[in-house]
Amino acid sequence: MRVFSRLALCGLLFCLTTSFGGCGYVRYLIPLDPKAKTDAPPLTHAAWDGLLKKYVNDQGLVNYKSLQADSLALNAYLQELSAHLPSSSWTETDRLAYWINAYNAFTVQRIIRGYPVKSIKDLGGDKIFVNTPWDQHFIKLADTRYSLNDIEHRIIRKKFDDNRIHVALVCAAMSCPRLRNEAFTGPRLNEQLDSQGRDFVNNPAKNKLTPPDKPQVSSIFNFYPKDFTKNGSTSVQDFINRYATQKIKPDATLNYLTYDWSLNVQQ
């Protein structure tokens, strides 16, 4: 009985310090929306903007080889992110711009650390929620370690009710949205996200909108179907038609394109 009580106490302590995800995955609890210790003004993201303009072309393809040689500049920007977490004094658009830039910049860092590589999927295991590249806690912001999944799902999707984030977060794959060759910023965020929406929806490599009753669309819409019934959209079709030059039928049957995970690299 004494042994059982001791084991029960250990189990209780374990449950208090961890949370469980799918497939038996255990994740240490982290703050969902950390705040900076000071009320520093929002970042301009000028350093990230300069790197994007220098190493990303108009098609969103990245010169990873040259960026790898300039990794000190990227690391300096990531350290700036770590030292200036979003504050409650920031606007919501400033906070969201911070997290989108963080996701994209740390994804680029993950690629150049393993470059040359054919796909981001080659940089981790195949156990979802355990050891994929999106589950590795390689991101350090202030005193906390994060994974890409933490930033996308536990912070951005949980804290910001905006389905346009799915055309802004870029996981270094050819079927991802175009990596914008400028940083997202709070004052211009709505304009930039709408621009990303138009670019993504009307890109024939991502979405084939004809015939309008049976279009072939990105698997991103299949990954997050419920997200596209929020933020002013009533359905995936409605979100697509918000930005499409070639409209699809509101009740169109959607066929999802196979996702191309090959690296978004300049050849």
Side-chain angles (χ1 to χ4, degrees):
M1 190 69 174
R2 185 176 300 170
V3 173
F4 173 79
S5 299
R6 188 173 299 170
L7 290 174
L9 178 59
C10 290
L12 176 61
L13 290 174
F14 181 79
C15 290
L16 289 173
T17 55
T18 60
S19 63
F20 293 82
C23 303
Y25 171 55
V26 178
R27 182 194 300 279
Y28 288 98
L29 288 173
I30 60 173
L32 289 178
D33 191 13
K35 299 291 188 292
K37 294 180 180 179
T38 63
D39 286 333
L43 295 178
T44 64
H45 303 285
W48 178 229
D49 187 78
L51 289 169
L52 291 169
K53 284 180 167 59
K54 188 174 182 179
Y55 297 112
V56 180
N57 67 17
D58 291 339
Q59 288 73 50
L61 301 179
V62 185
N63 185 341
Y64 286 109
K65 183 176 181 180
S66 295
L67 185 51
Q68 186 181 48
D70 200 9
S71 61
L72 290 179
L74 175 60
N75 291 339
Y77 169 67
L78 298 179
Q79 289 170 7
E80 186 179 16
L81 288 178
S82 181
H84 298 86
L85 274 78
S87 163
S88 57
S89 66
W90 294 16
T91 66
E92 182 170 315
T93 54
D94 281 320
R95 294 196 299 272
L96 180 52
Y98 172 98
W99 289 113
I100 294 173
N101 287 329
Y103 182 97
N104 291 343
F106 276 106
T107 297
V108 168
Q109 184 199 51
R110 185 69 188 90
I111 295 297
I112 65 173
R113 282 182 171 179
Y115 195 78
V117 66
K118 293 182 178 179
S119 170
I120 188 174
K121 295 180 77 173
D122 297 336
L123 298 176
D126 59 0
K127 292 186 174 69
I128 298 173
F129 305 128
V130 178
N131 62 2
T132 74
W134 297 277
D135 298 299
Q136 299 164 359
H137 288 77
F138 69 95
I139 299 167
K140 187 174 186 298
L141 296 172
D143 298 323
T144 305
R145 291 279 179 178
Y146 298 85
S147 68
L148 291 170
N149 272 341
D150 289 329
I151 292 178
E152 179 177 6
H153 302 299
R154 301 190 72 232
I155 296 176
I156 295 178
R157 291 181 65 220
K158 188 177 181 69
K159 293 292 185 180
F160 300 93
D161 188 22
D162 196 326
N163 50 29
R164 295 175 298 173
I165 60 103
H166 294 301
V167 297
L169 298 175
V170 181
C171 57
M174 289 299 293
S175 283
C176 286
R178 174 177 65 91
L179 181 60
R180 196 174 185 88
N181 57 359
E182 67 173 4
F184 290 96
T185 61
R188 295 185 57 226
L189 186 63
N190 282 309
E191 168 199 338
Q192 291 174 313
L193 291 178
D194 281 337
S195 172
Q196 287 288 117
R198 289 188 294 271
D199 180 85
F200 181 73
V201 166
N202 294 296
N203 186 335
K206 320 286 186 184
N207 298 281
K208 305 178 189 300
L209 302 182
T210 55
D213 59 334
K214 293 182 179 180
Q216 299 179 68
V217 301
S218 170
S219 289
I220 288 175
F221 295 115
N222 194 33
F223 297 158
Y224 308 101
K226 290 184 179 179
D227 284 15
F228 293 101
T229 62
K230 301 177 181 179
N231 188 226
S233 300
T234 58
S235 64
V236 170
Q237 293 89 334
D238 186 40
F239 180 89
I240 290 172
N241 281 336
R242 187 196 308 180
Y243 297 111
T245 55
Q246 170 67 56
K247 306 298 184 186
I248 63 175
K249 291 187 175 181
D251 59 350
T253 299
L254 303 178
N255 299 291
Y256 298 101
L257 295 167
T258 301
Y259 212 78
D260 182 358
W261 286 103
S262 56
L263 193 66
N264 61 341
V265 62
Q266 293 182 27
Q267 301 298 330

